[in-house]
Amino acid sequence: MSWHEANDRYLEASLARVCRRLERHADDENAADSTVEPPVESFEIDGDPPALERLAATFGLSAFERDVLLLAAGPDLGIDFPGRPTFGLALAALDDPSWEALSPQGALRYWRLIELGPGEGLCSLPLRADERVLHFLRGLEVLDERLAGLVEPLPVPRALVTSQARQAERLAGAWAR
């Protein structure tokens, strides 16, 4: 199985887990439901974990924040969640809710991983994953269109030049001591 195939399966399973949690919440809206949905088993192919896990690790997302991101991304990835994705729904239905995730200083909003739609009241605003994040979750490395006129990707050198290799050896020796 290729990394892209494994990534797609992992993303689909993760979205399905969030969907089941939302369905249980919708079915038991007036009942307390303490059932915790187990996480989806991760994978690594050639040392490369799923895109969702790479993104969560890079931005230090909690399990709740990761699920909020999936909630926001679901409709654009073809998932028909029960209910419109909002912070209110996330706080009510997802495991280990945290008000801090809603903060402008929280990773989801600070790094603009999600976008807030129009409306009133923070908890009722519709959530949507940033387009760049959607592509990344699907395993596509694309340049953010907001940066397209400002930066260009550089090729990754295959090996360090001699002077850089010597400096790297010195640094490695210093760290080892």
Side-chain angles (χ1 to χ4, degrees):
M1 176 183 319
S2 74
W3 180 88
H4 280 86
E5 291 169 328
N7 186 67
D8 284 348
R9 286 184 182 179
Y10 183 82
L11 182 59
E12 289 169 12
S14 297
L15 287 162
R17 181 184 53 77
V18 169
C19 191
R20 285 190 304 273
R21 187 71 190 115
L22 295 173
E23 288 169 350
R24 273 201 307 275
H25 170 73
D27 290 344
D28 299 328
E29 192 148 357
N30 296 321
D33 182 8
S34 61
T35 306
V36 175
E37 187 77 29
V40 177
E41 188 173 330
S42 188
F43 71 90
E44 280 195 21
I45 294 181
D46 295 328
D48 205 7
L52 176 61
E53 295 307 319
R54 285 180 33 210
L55 188 134
T58 299
F59 293 102
L61 301 182
S62 68
F64 176 71
E65 289 170 318
R66 185 192 62 232
D67 288 351
V68 170
L69 181 62
L70 288 168
L71 175 66
D76 286 322
L77 295 174
I79 303 299
D80 187 23
F81 287 136
R84 182 178 71 166
T86 65
F87 275 133
L89 179 60
L91 288 168
L94 299 177
D95 298 328
D96 300 322
S98 169
W99 185 260
E100 293 172 19
L102 284 67
S103 163
Q105 286 77 34
L108 292 173
R109 293 182 60 201
Y110 182 82
W111 295 111
R112 300 181 188 253
L113 302 177
I114 61 169
E115 300 167 355
L116 302 176
E120 294 184 26
L122 180 61
C123 287
S124 63
L125 297 176
L127 300 178
R128 191 162 182 214
D130 180 78
E131 181 183 358
R132 171 77 172 89
V133 171
L134 290 170
H135 294 307
F136 184 82
L137 290 173
R138 295 301 305 221
L140 302 174
E141 297 280 346
V142 294
L143 181 63
D144 188 324
E145 67 182 20
R146 295 167 288 199
L147 300 175
L150 304 171
V151 299
E152 63 181 63
L154 295 175
V156 177
R158 298 218 178 255
L160 295 175
V161 295
T162 306
S163 62
Q164 292 173 332
R166 280 195 300 263
Q167 289 294 346
E169 288 172 11
R170 286 183 191 138
L171 284 170
W175 285 334
R177 287 190 294 266

